[in-house]
Amino acid sequence: MDGPSAQARSTLGLSITLVVLFVGGLSVGALVALRRGSAEATPASSATEPTLNLTGGSPPTSPVSAPTRPSTPATDQSQGSVSSARLTPIAAAARRVAPSVVSIRTTRTVTAPRTLFDEFFQRGGRSRTVPGLGSGFAIDADGTILTNQHVIRDADSIVVIDEEGRLLSAELIGSDEFTDLAVVKVERGVIPPAPLGTSSDLFVGEPAIAIGNPSGFQLENTEATVTTGVISGVGRDIRGSGDEVLYADMIQTDAAINPGNSGGPLVNADGEVVGVNSSIFSRSGGSEGLGFAIPMDRARRVAAELVEFGRVRRPWVGFDVIRRSTGDMFGVAVIERVVEDSPGEAAGLRPGDVVVSANGKRVNHELDWEVALEEAGVNSVVQVEYRRGGRLLTSSLQVEEVPSERAQPVEVLAGLRLATVTPQIAQERGFSLEFGAWIVDIDGRTANITGLRQNDVIFGINANEVQTAEDAADLFRYYGEQRGGSRVRANVARGARRGVIPFYIGGQR
């Protein structure tokens, strides 16, 4: 059911990379994407108007209210006459966390592309309701449930089912595609919180327990099930066939993560949650001993941001880090450029400096650096150790929120919002231009009419240079107010490519 939506291809032409990675064993997807690929195309709007006018299993049953029970942490159940040989540390740990684990069932509406018959009868594409399944676990006594973003993506309804089979209506608090995490909320005091541990001290070979509900829609059981294994690796970075990063700094485990386990907890032998089960690498679609979980320390920070802000604030320091191979090293992290008026410039960092560590943690390449910033978070200070020539230096680096979040978009056409490109935004977004009007958002109908796409940068309109979003707004307004409308030619940068896209605005054509 999941997989990031791919943007429709334009006249400039964009390549799309497909990867074979199974999210929770259910479908193809790319999750912790520092450089995002695309997997599943979203049907484009079929509007045919040639002009644009100016303007400034089965689904779950209905939930029922559940009775309130004391909001105490999950504890070991009474074992009666069970022998110590049977009650292993793994069994005790599983029993400690299992009451906090829930099933999550969703429904979403999928609309098929319009056919020739739909066009002839002037009707929309046919829609159908698609059920989805995943797992989650309570992280506090207030009914806060942590799960994967791909579990609840595009959901019209979300229902949480506890171990006793009670159906609880859930409200989406926030989700983050970048980290593949989401927070939903249910009634307070119904589901006991899981004991949360840390992922900072995990080591290869220690026991690992994956808990979730892998029943799919074939089984009706609501109790969580358990698979066991070991921590196979930490800090794992996985690249796809197109060299895009699909996973960064993940926990690898051979504890089976089966269909429906996505969003469930990965637990250590002390009965503490150390990760959020997310995905598997598989050629067959089943578990092959290559499962990945999001570290709990990252999940805690993301959950806190989603609860407080409804989104995750992205960190920015104003310089790029690239991997450079040397004669005796697999690679080092080199600062490529430092943008003006940025935290990097204020900290005295320069192009060519080699980053050695961040907050005491070794940095070997650009992914280590990105992870260090994500872990530190916005408004934090990172102690950066770096080499310049033969000297080893240290600077305090203030982490800010990405400039694009501070930009003020303007709506210039119906469904088209632009923001001014600055050197800071160009560095953050990887734009080839440091000026122009950046398309922050564009709806499907406007994209079909104009051929423009989200993240395009408009730098000219009808041979007039566009330096800012306001320049584009003025020019679109001028040409749109001409009698009968006007044909415009927009100079557009899309990634490293540049081209001209013609379209009409204003009166009907």
Side-chain angles (χ1 to χ4, degrees), residues 410-427:
V410 294
E411 187 168 15
V412 298
L413 297 173
L416 176 65
R417 297 169 69 235
L418 304 177
T420 298
V421 176
T422 64
Q424 292 78 20
I425 288 178
Q427 183 275 329

mmCIF file of all heavy atoms in Angstrom, residues 410-427:
data_model
loop_
_atom_site.group_PDB
_atom_site.id
_atom_site.type_symbol
_atom_site.label_atom_id
_atom_site.label_comp_id
_atom_site.label_asym_id
_atom_site.label_seq_id
_atom_site.Cartn_x
_atom_site.Cartn_y
_atom_site.Cartn_z
ATOM 1 N N VAL A 410 4.242 32.836 -1.896
ATOM 2 C CA VAL A 410 3.138 33.648 -2.411
ATOM 3 C C VAL A 410 2.417 32.850 -3.477
ATOM 4 O O VAL A 410 3.040 32.099 -4.241
ATOM 5 C CB VAL A 410 3.646 34.988 -2.995
ATOM 6 C CG1 VAL A 410 4.231 35.861 -1.911
ATOM 7 C CG2 VAL A 410 4.662 34.759 -4.105
ATOM 8 N N GLU A 411 1.081 32.993 -3.539
ATOM 9 C CA GLU A 411 0.297 32.303 -4.565
ATOM 10 C C GLU A 411 0.167 33.233 -5.757
ATOM 11 O O GLU A 411 -0.370 34.337 -5.638
ATOM 12 C CB GLU A 411 -1.080 31.910 -4.039
ATOM 13 C CG GLU A 411 -1.854 31.051 -5.030
ATOM 14 C CD GLU A 411 -3.090 30.416 -4.423
ATOM 15 O OE1 GLU A 411 -3.512 30.857 -3.342
ATOM 16 O OE2 GLU A 411 -3.630 29.475 -5.030
ATOM 17 N N VAL A 412 0.664 32.797 -6.914
ATOM 18 C CA VAL A 412 0.681 33.664 -8.086
ATOM 19 C C VAL A 412 -0.312 33.215 -9.148
ATOM 20 O O VAL A 412 -0.767 34.011 -9.956
ATOM 21 C CB VAL A 412 2.106 33.745 -8.690
ATOM 22 C CG1 VAL A 412 3.060 34.340 -7.685
ATOM 23 C CG2 VAL A 412 2.597 32.378 -9.135
ATOM 24 N N LEU A 413 -0.629 31.960 -9.198
ATOM 25 C CA LEU A 413 -1.667 31.423 -10.064
ATOM 26 C C LEU A 413 -2.496 30.457 -9.235
ATOM 27 O O LEU A 413 -2.080 30.056 -8.144
ATOM 28 C CB LEU A 413 -1.071 30.687 -11.264
ATOM 29 C CG LEU A 413 -0.219 31.491 -12.259
ATOM 30 C CD1 LEU A 413 0.404 30.540 -13.269
ATOM 31 C CD2 LEU A 413 -1.047 32.543 -12.963
ATOM 32 N N ALA A 414 -3.639 30.064 -9.754
ATOM 33 C CA ALA A 414 -4.463 29.103 -9.031
ATOM 34 C C ALA A 414 -3.674 27.820 -8.821
ATOM 35 O O ALA A 414 -3.245 27.177 -9.775
ATOM 36 C CB ALA A 414 -5.742 28.818 -9.822
ATOM 37 N N GLY A 415 -3.435 27.469 -7.555
ATOM 38 C CA GLY A 415 -2.737 26.229 -7.249
ATOM 39 C C GLY A 415 -1.240 26.286 -7.415
ATOM 40 O O GLY A 415 -0.590 25.233 -7.419
ATOM 41 N N LEU A 416 -0.649 27.488 -7.564
ATOM 42 C CA LEU A 416 0.804 27.632 -7.749
ATOM 43 C C LEU A 416 1.357 28.590 -6.704
ATOM 44 O O LEU A 416 0.991 29.760 -6.663
ATOM 45 C CB LEU A 416 1.114 28.153 -9.153
ATOM 46 C CG LEU A 416 2.584 28.436 -9.466
ATOM 47 C CD1 LEU A 416 3.398 27.146 -9.427
ATOM 48 C CD2 LEU A 416 2.729 29.118 -10.819
ATOM 49 N N ARG A 417 2.261 28.067 -5.843
ATOM 50 C CA ARG A 417 2.871 28.887 -4.793
ATOM 51 C C ARG A 417 4.374 28.940 -5.005
ATOM 52 O O ARG A 417 5.024 27.915 -5.220
ATOM 53 C CB ARG A 417 2.540 28.322 -3.407
ATOM 54 C CG ARG A 417 1.045 28.350 -3.089
ATOM 55 C CD ARG A 417 0.703 27.552 -1.851
ATOM 56 N NE ARG A 417 1.211 28.187 -0.648
ATOM 57 C CZ ARG A 417 1.997 27.589 0.249
ATOM 58 N NH1 ARG A 417 2.381 26.338 0.052
ATOM 59 N NH2 ARG A 417 2.396 28.221 1.329
ATOM 60 N N LEU A 418 4.923 30.155 -4.932
ATOM 61 C CA LEU A 418 6.336 30.385 -5.189
ATOM 62 C C LEU A 418 7.010 31.019 -3.988
ATOM 63 O O LEU A 418 6.375 31.725 -3.196
ATOM 64 C CB LEU A 418 6.517 31.319 -6.401
ATOM 65 C CG LEU A 418 5.869 30.909 -7.718
ATOM 66 C CD1 LEU A 418 6.100 31.994 -8.761
ATOM 67 C CD2 LEU A 418 6.427 29.582 -8.205
ATOM 68 N N ALA A 419 8.321 30.799 -3.866
ATOM 69 C CA ALA A 419 9.145 31.464 -2.872
ATOM 70 C C ALA A 419 10.443 31.899 -3.540
ATOM 71 O O ALA A 419 10.903 31.270 -4.501
ATOM 72 C CB ALA A 419 9.430 30.559 -1.675
ATOM 73 N N THR A 420 11.026 32.966 -3.042
ATOM 74 C CA THR A 420 12.260 33.489 -3.614
ATOM 75 C C THR A 420 13.441 32.593 -3.262
ATOM 76 O O THR A 420 13.610 32.202 -2.106
ATOM 77 C CB THR A 420 12.532 34.912 -3.093
ATOM 78 O OG1 THR A 420 11.458 35.769 -3.513
ATOM 79 C CG2 THR A 420 13.850 35.454 -3.619
ATOM 80 N N VAL A 421 14.250 32.257 -4.270
ATOM 81 C CA VAL A 421 15.460 31.477 -4.048
ATOM 82 C C VAL A 421 16.553 32.407 -3.512
ATOM 83 O O VAL A 421 16.831 33.451 -4.098
ATOM 84 C CB VAL A 421 15.940 30.805 -5.350
ATOM 85 C CG1 VAL A 421 17.262 30.075 -5.116
ATOM 86 C CG2 VAL A 421 14.888 29.837 -5.869
ATOM 87 N N THR A 422 17.142 32.040 -2.399
ATOM 88 C CA THR A 422 18.284 32.747 -1.827
ATOM 89 C C THR A 422 19.494 31.809 -1.887
ATOM 90 O O THR A 422 19.334 30.598 -2.097
ATOM 91 C CB THR A 422 18.011 33.142 -0.373
ATOM 92 O OG1 THR A 422 17.850 31.936 0.405
ATOM 93 C CG2 THR A 422 16.753 33.998 -0.260
ATOM 94 N N PRO A 423 20.709 32.341 -1.693
ATOM 95 C CA PRO A 423 21.864 31.436 -1.644
ATOM 96 C C PRO A 423 21.711 30.354 -0.580
ATOM 97 O O PRO A 423 22.155 29.220 -0.768
ATOM 98 C CB PRO A 423 23.033 32.378 -1.335
ATOM 99 C CG PRO A 423 22.609 33.698 -1.909
ATOM 100 C CD PRO A 423 21.127 33.762 -1.666
ATOM 101 N N GLN A 424 21.063 30.706 0.546
ATOM 102 C CA GLN A 424 20.878 29.732 1.622
ATOM 103 C C GLN A 424 19.915 28.621 1.187
ATOM 104 O O GLN A 424 20.165 27.430 1.419
ATOM 105 C CB GLN A 424 20.352 30.438 2.883
ATOM 106 C CG GLN A 424 21.341 31.388 3.528
ATOM 107 C CD GLN A 424 21.440 32.720 2.796
ATOM 108 O OE1 GLN A 424 20.538 33.088 2.047
ATOM 109 N NE2 GLN A 424 22.534 33.440 3.024
ATOM 110 N N ILE A 425 18.811 28.999 0.552
ATOM 111 C CA ILE A 425 17.856 27.996 0.080
ATOM 112 C C ILE A 425 18.471 27.168 -1.047
ATOM 113 O O ILE A 425 18.270 25.948 -1.118
ATOM 114 C CB ILE A 425 16.550 28.669 -0.379
ATOM 115 C CG1 ILE A 425 15.772 29.191 0.847
ATOM 116 C CG2 ILE A 425 15.683 27.704 -1.187
ATOM 117 C CD1 ILE A 425 14.495 29.920 0.494
ATOM 118 N N ALA A 426 19.255 27.800 -1.913
ATOM 119 C CA ALA A 426 19.904 27.062 -3.004
ATOM 120 C C ALA A 426 20.838 25.998 -2.449
ATOM 121 O O ALA A 426 20.879 24.861 -2.953
ATOM 122 C CB ALA A 426 20.664 28.029 -3.907
ATOM 123 N N GLN A 427 21.600 26.328 -1.403
ATOM 124 C CA GLN A 427 22.497 25.346 -0.794
ATOM 125 C C GLN A 427 21.706 24.223 -0.144
ATOM 126 O O GLN A 427 22.024 23.038 -0.293
ATOM 127 C CB GLN A 427 23.406 26.034 0.225
ATOM 128 C CG GLN A 427 24.442 25.120 0.870
ATOM 129 C CD GLN A 427 23.914 24.367 2.077
ATOM 130 O OE1 GLN A 427 23.049 24.867 2.800
ATOM 131 N NE2 GLN A 427 24.417 23.162 2.296
#
